[in-house]
Amino acid sequence: MSLRYALLALLTSRPMTGYDLSKHFSQSVAHVWYAPDSQIYPELNRMERDGLVDSETVPWGPKGTKKEYRITDAGTAAFQEWINEPLVIRRQRDPAYLKSAYLEWADPDAARAQLRQHLEYWSGHLQLLKESRQSLIDHTHPTLQYRLKKFPEEEHDRIVRYKVFAYDGLIDNASAEVRWARKGLALIDELEGEST
Amino acid sequence: MSLRYALLALLTSRPMTGYDLSKHFSQSVAHVWYAPDSQIYPELNRMERDGLVDSETVPWGPKGTKKEYRITDAGTAAFQEWINEPLVIRRQRDPAYLKSAYLEWADPDAARAQLRQHLEYWSGHLQLLKESRQSLIDHTHPTLQYRLKKFPEEEHDRIVRYKVFAYDGLIDNASAEVRWARKGLALIDELEGEST
DNA sequence: CGTCACTACCTATGGAGATAGGGAGTCCCG
DNA sequence: CGGGACTCCCTATCTCCATAGGTAGTGACG
């Protein structure tokens, strides 16, 4: 059910089409949550049925139209209720760690390739997270700008600091992954001899 | 499909019943992978159908029987093939971070309760991880003992070090979560005033 | 006027995972 | 010998999520 609230969260900043939301989920917000459009469109329909969002059909070009979704009061209330609810603890289940616990069965070069892959993915991710964090701090983050307009100036610092806090956690996690992969590569070199 | 390989991984140490495997998944191995028995039993049946495991019905008490699963050569081969395959990168998707990015909408006490919950969960988890890591190092880890018996002495250090490496990564992650939760609690105190 | 990247919206399908049960046997303790 | 905790095996159901498609309009470029 988190997808629903992730959508509501985005819609608290401004009205958007399903396509806009989908873009966000595969770009900036993807650090916090991700969903393909095949999940988003049906969910938006359900949310409209449940009265959490309103849709307005707006013209787009000579013949086309698009549906812009706007959060309703009921939607805002539902979002706020969710944010105050106790956490649902998610078991973390990463195949990378499962594999790493049995690396003695692996071909050293395959193991190296995997750790390099892990390193590459998390380094890139870390870079993006750092850039997003910075764009929050200097208020160049696009969604943040829409969001801040809805709040008085004296609230801005508070809003930004919570978001930076979230990114700090994500950055710490990503850094740990990068460190871990590097350590693994060194370990393989030590136990199996230098790479070929 | 990771469940299948997690099961094979455990069965490389010794034959087990579905119940044994289920116990492992909710106890020691739960740090790396988790599955409820409702997933395990059907998967074992499919694995037997696919020839990755053999089952032997052994008597248990006067009337009862139990089915002990043993990995086959085909199973070992499949496991090894999997371990050498490139990683399937998993997007991390933790509702705790989604919520934390919108904490300005939350009631401060609810936010505090959530972070305390996060802190408690990860502190406990961290403790368990550290204990498991130690039991690997001093060879008191139960599954490890079975596993080492199957390998010559000179391999033991290598096997243990890979497992410790996996745990080191998990411990680093859990530590990051603990740090993050503490930082969040301090942030709320700073922004909203001390807790009531 | 064609084509190409992009915007916009949607469906089908299947696997994974969580939750919630059921039913039968064992073993020990009081 | 009865009750309770535990062992053992299994099914049903529902949500989530990923993958892989499909259709139609837009706007810019050559």
Side-chain angles (χ1 to χ4, degrees):
Chain A
M1 258 309 89
S2 285
L3 171 59
R4 167 166 297 201
Y5 298 102
L7 290 169
L8 286 176
L10 282 172
L11 290 173
T12 55
S13 77
R14 65 182 172 97
M16 292 191 212
T17 66
Y19 190 77
D20 289 334
L21 289 160
S22 164
K23 282 277 116 137
H24 277 83
F25 275 119
S26 54
Q27 287 164 14
S28 67
V29 200
H31 315 131
V32 186
W33 207 260
Y34 167 81
D37 61 348
S38 64
Q39 260 186 285
I40 293 171
Y41 288 108
E43 185 60 31
L44 283 170
N45 285 329
R46 266 173 257 134
M47 286 162 73
E48 185 167 21
R49 186 201 61 204
D50 296 346
L52 304 179
V53 295
D54 274 343
S55 75
E56 193 189 344
T57 304
V58 299
W60 166 58
K63 284 202 294 177
T65 60
K66 57 182 182 173
K67 249 159 90 184
E68 223 168 37
Y69 290 93
R70 180 184 305 273
I71 192 167
T72 62
D73 289 346
T76 308
F79 178 65
Q80 232 164 349
E81 197 180 315
W82 170 78
I83 214 110
N84 283 319
E85 262 169 24
L87 285 179
V88 180
I89 301 283
R90 275 227 163 194
R91 252 176 263 267
Q92 304 288 350
R93 219 173 325 189
D94 190 335
Y97 284 87
L98 176 57
K99 275 195 182 180
S100 75
Y102 297 94
L103 276 189
E104 72 266 18
W105 290 84
D107 174 72
D109 282 335
R112 264 186 271 261
Q114 284 167 22
L115 286 168
R116 277 197 215 101
Q117 203 189 337
H118 195 77
L119 180 59
E120 201 173 323
Y121 172 77
W122 283 104
S123 304
H125 200 60
L126 180 58
Q127 191 53 40
L128 290 175
L129 287 169
K130 284 181 173 169
E131 284 164 14
S132 283
R133 181 184 188 278
Q134 193 51 45
S135 77
L136 285 168
I137 289 175
D138 43 40
H139 293 211
T140 54
H141 190 287
T143 311
L144 181 69
Q145 293 188 332
Y146 285 104
R147 185 176 298 283
L148 291 182
K149 276 185 212 147
K150 302 203 162 185
F151 292 90
E153 187 105 22
E154 63 269 23
E155 296 257 12
H156 290 189
D157 179 59
R158 190 172 146 264
I159 294 171
V160 169
R161 289 191 66 189
Y162 280 131
K163 299 200 187 310
V164 170
F165 162 64
Y167 272 87
D168 282 343
L170 295 168
I171 287 171
D172 227 22
N173 268 298
S175 306
E177 298 296 343
V178 168
R179 274 198 307 279
W180 181 70
R182 292 223 169 91
K183 199 169 150 183
L185 288 167
L187 179 65
I188 296 173
D189 283 349
E190 186 193 334
L191 295 180
E192 322 278 354
E194 296 288 322
S195 143
T196 50
Chain B
M1 257 309 89
S2 286
L3 171 60
R4 165 165 297 200
Y5 298 102
L7 291 168
L8 286 176
L10 282 172
L11 291 172
T12 55
S13 76
R14 66 183 171 95
M16 292 191 213
T17 66
Y19 190 77
D20 288 335
L21 289 160
S22 164
K23 281 278 114 139
H24 276 84
F25 275 119
S26 54
Q27 286 164 15
S28 66
V29 200
H31 314 129
V32 187
W33 207 260
Y34 167 81
D37 62 348
S38 65
Q39 260 186 285
I40 293 172
Y41 288 107
E43 184 61 32
L44 283 170
N45 285 329
R46 267 174 259 136
M47 286 162 72
E48 186 167 19
R49 186 200 60 204
D50 296 345
L52 304 179
V53 295
D54 273 343
S55 74
E56 191 189 347
T57 303
V58 300
W60 167 58
K63 285 203 291 178
T65 61
K66 56 182 183 173
K67 248 158 91 184
E68 224 169 37
Y69 290 92
R70 180 183 306 271
I71 193 168
T72 62
D73 289 346
T76 308
F79 178 64
Q80 232 163 348
E81 197 180 316
W82 170 78
I83 213 107
N84 284 320
E85 261 168 26
L87 285 180
V88 181
I89 300 282
R90 275 224 164 200
R91 251 177 262 267
Q92 304 288 349
R93 219 173 324 190
D94 190 334
Y97 284 87
L98 176 58
K99 275 195 184 183
S100 75
Y102 297 93
L103 276 189
E104 74 266 19
W105 290 84
D107 175 71
D109 283 335
R112 264 187 271 262
Q114 285 168 21
L115 286 168
R116 278 199 213 101
Q117 204 190 337
H118 195 79
L119 179 58
E120 202 173 322
Y121 172 79
W122 284 105
S123 304
H125 200 61
L126 179 58
Q127 190 54 39
L128 291 174
L129 287 168
K130 284 181 174 169
E131 284 164 14
S132 284
R133 181 184 188 277
Q134 192 53 44
S135 77
L136 286 168
I137 289 175
D138 44 41
H139 293 213
T140 55
H141 190 287
T143 311
L144 180 70
Q145 294 188 332
Y146 285 104
R147 184 175 300 282
L148 291 181
K149 276 187 209 145
K150 304 205 160 180
F151 292 90
E153 187 104 22
E154 63 269 23
E155 295 258 11
H156 290 189
D157 178 59
R158 190 172 145 265
I159 293 171
V160 169
R161 289 191 65 189
Y162 280 132
K163 297 198 188 314
V164 170
F165 162 63
Y167 272 86
D168 281 344
L170 293 169
I171 287 171
D172 228 22
N173 267 297
S175 304
E177 297 297 344
V178 168
R179 272 198 307 278
W180 181 70
R182 284 197 218 281
K183 198 169 151 184
L185 287 167
L187 179 65
I188 296 174
D189 283 350
E190 186 192 334
L191 295 181
E192 322 278 352
E194 297 287 322
S195 143
T196 50

